[in-house]
Amino acid sequence: MAGKPKLHYTNGRGKMESIRWLLAAAGVEFEEEFIETKEDLEKLRTDGVLMFQQVPMVEIDGMKMVQTRAILSYIAAKYNLYGKDLKERAWIDMYVEGTTDLMGMIMYLPFQPADTKEKNLALIIERATTRYFPVYEKALKEHGNDYLVGNKLSWADVHLLEAILMAEECKPDILSAFPLLQAFKGRTSNIPTIKKFLQPGSQRKPPTDEKFVAIVRKIFNI
């Protein structure tokens, strides 16, 4: 029997967090080996296990996988969270790319200069409420199903819930104009595997703070 996937990254959210989310939603236990110093990262590079000298890196099924999108696609397909045919996969991909764009804006906010943070936070809220969330609200309304694609939990749903919770950390009432997304959040948060991941003490990482920003800057020479 294959061992648990092993995740190599810093002890924070970053690009690995969506991978943690997807594994957790699939009910897959995983181990983490944290990169805590510049030397830890350099060792992975000199060992030749990072194809492009970058993390995240996930050891799974005998592979040392890099590139966030490739890792997520593999996990989604392996654990039946990637639709039943090419068309469903295309819809899942489109929805995921949208939430990835929004989450990227939120992810980089703590790393931005103090004098631009307020402006960028306002932009995140504006984009979430006028560009991204209306798409998902409309999708749920038009097909009347509980999930975004094929009325079955998929990677698109897991990613959307992660994005919603990140956006709520920026503005707690950000879903006030989106009743179907509020209901979606309630439903998906109560799926047993996801509910477990949302409990204190899980491998979900807290919001990025100044201390973590300083650690990341040191490790990656930012």
Side-chain angles (χ1 to χ4, degrees), residues 3-222:
K4 295 176 185 175
K6 185 184 278 189
L7 282 49
H8 296 263
Y9 202 67
T10 53
N11 188 10
R13 287 186 181 176
K15 292 189 172 183
M16 186 65 91
E17 191 69 354
S18 291
I19 296 166
R20 297 182 186 110
W21 264 89
L22 197 56
L23 285 167
V28 179
E29 292 184 4
F30 56 88
E31 297 172 351
E32 299 190 81
E33 193 158 306
F34 296 123
I35 297 165
E36 294 174 330
T37 64
K38 202 183 292 187
E39 290 71 31
D40 291 342
L41 179 62
E42 211 43 56
K43 184 177 188 310
L44 285 174
R45 286 173 172 162
T46 53
D47 286 351
V49 297
L50 302 179
M51 187 184 285
F52 299 110
Q53 309 291 305
Q54 295 169 311
V55 288
M57 187 269 279
V58 174
E59 295 184 62
I60 184 170
D61 295 342
M63 295 183 289
K64 291 180 169 64
M65 290 196 74
V66 296
Q67 295 296 347
T68 311
R69 172 78 205 202
I71 297 165
L72 286 164
S73 297
Y74 182 83
I75 293 165
K78 180 178 170 75
Y79 295 105
N80 200 24
L81 293 166
Y82 209 178
K84 70 177 188 299
D85 55 32
L86 272 176
K87 279 192 175 178
E88 286 197 357
R89 286 191 175 200
W91 280 105
I92 289 167
D93 284 341
M94 286 190 282
Y95 288 140
V96 163
E97 289 300 328
T99 37
T100 298
D101 290 346
L102 177 59
M103 287 194 286
M105 294 173 72
I106 300 170
M107 193 189 305
Y108 292 117
L109 188 65
F111 293 88
Q112 291 166 354
D115 59 347
T116 64
K117 271 187 188 172
E118 200 171 317
K119 188 179 84 173
N120 287 314
L121 177 60
L123 180 62
I124 287 166
I125 293 164
E126 188 264 329
R127 287 275 169 86
T129 54
T130 65
R131 179 178 294 187
Y132 296 109
F133 289 163
V135 169
Y136 304 106
E137 184 81 2
K138 183 170 181 258
L140 292 167
K141 184 177 182 181
E142 286 184 349
H143 60 48
N145 292 333
D146 286 350
Y147 302 108
L148 288 170
V149 179
N151 204 25
K152 179 180 182 293
L153 182 71
S154 75
W155 173 21
D157 302 300
V158 178
H159 222 238
L160 176 55
L161 179 60
E162 183 188 0
I164 285 170
L165 297 181
M166 286 176 74
E168 286 184 332
E169 288 168 357
C170 296
K171 188 174 188 284
D173 67 345
I174 200 161
L175 287 188
S176 59
F178 304 102
L180 297 180
L181 283 181
Q182 291 175 41
F184 170 88
K185 175 193 159 190
R187 279 194 306 276
T188 47
S189 295
N190 278 300
I191 291 167
T193 52
I194 294 175
K195 189 173 184 178
K196 185 180 175 187
F197 188 60
L198 292 173
Q199 299 300 313
S202 80
Q203 287 164 291
R204 185 183 179 215
K205 302 302 179 249
T208 299
D209 58 16
E210 286 182 15
K211 186 181 172 188
F212 182 66
V213 168
I215 291 168
V216 169
R217 287 192 190 284
K218 202 169 177 182
I219 293 171
F220 296 99
N221 275 334
I222 300 170

